[in-house]
Amino acid sequence: AMVDKAIAYIKKNGREKAFAEINNPKGQFTDRDLYVVVYDITGKVLAHGANAKMIGKDVIELRDSDDKFFVKERVEMMSKGPNAKGWQDYKFMNPVTRQIEPKSMFLQRYEDMIVGCGIYKG
């Protein structure tokens, strides 16, 4: 639901305003340990609801604690077509607990972007 809401917000308000709202930790796209991330189709972070330091970084080579290239896998999943979407499992630090936890992220392609929101299963 959060991904659909973010895409609708981008469509209505444009990228600049939408990215500012997604990046706002007190904004409508951050709720406890839920937050939206937006990448371009090459794996560069365009917006990040939990870590502003990631914005503008190419994270295609990032790996989780199991050595999984999770961003590369996302880019491959979302490169299958303009309506690509799906779930991905990996491990990541929960911004609330500060622990590495199993996470499932729902990803959806919108134009040349990948919009995602994940849930921690820890």
Side-chain angles (χ1 to χ4, degrees), residues 27-60:
Q28 61 183 307
F29 298 107
T30 304
D31 181 10
R32 298 173 313 264
D33 63 359
L34 287 177
Y35 56 90
V36 170
V37 292
V38 183
Y39 301 92
D40 72 9
I41 205 67
T42 68
K44 181 177 162 193
V45 179
L46 302 176
H48 200 296
N51 188 349
K53 291 179 184 150
M54 298 296 287
I55 299 163
K57 293 203 167 128
D58 179 352
V59 293
I60 194 82

Side-chain angles (χ1 to χ4, degrees), residues 1 13 16 21 28 40 42 52 62 64 67 73 77-78 81 104:
N13 297 287
E16 192 175 326
E21 183 65 17
Q28 61 183 307
D40 72 9
T42 68
L62 268 190
D64 73 2
D67 247 10
E73 185 179 277
M77 285 170 62
M78 296 299 110
S104 277

Side-chain angles (χ1 to χ4, degrees), residues 43-91:
K44 181 177 162 193
V45 179
L46 302 176
H48 200 296
N51 188 349
K53 291 179 184 150
M54 298 296 287
I55 299 163
K57 293 203 167 128
D58 179 352
V59 293
I60 194 82
E61 296 297 325
L62 268 190
R63 294 184 225 190
D64 73 2
S65 58
D66 292 334
D67 247 10
K68 178 177 183 172
F69 287 96
F70 64 94
V71 177
K72 198 174 278 183
E73 185 179 277
R74 282 178 195 166
V75 167
E76 286 167 8
M77 285 170 62
M78 296 299 110
S79 295
K80 292 183 176 150
N83 300 312
K85 59 176 134 183
W87 285 91
Q88 178 197 38
D89 293 320
Y90 64 110
K91 291 185 178 154

Side-chain angles (χ1 to χ4, degrees), residues 9-19:
Y9 197 90
I10 294 166
K11 284 179 185 172
K12 183 177 178 199
N13 297 287
R15 293 179 186 212
E16 192 175 326
K17 188 174 178 186
F19 294 169

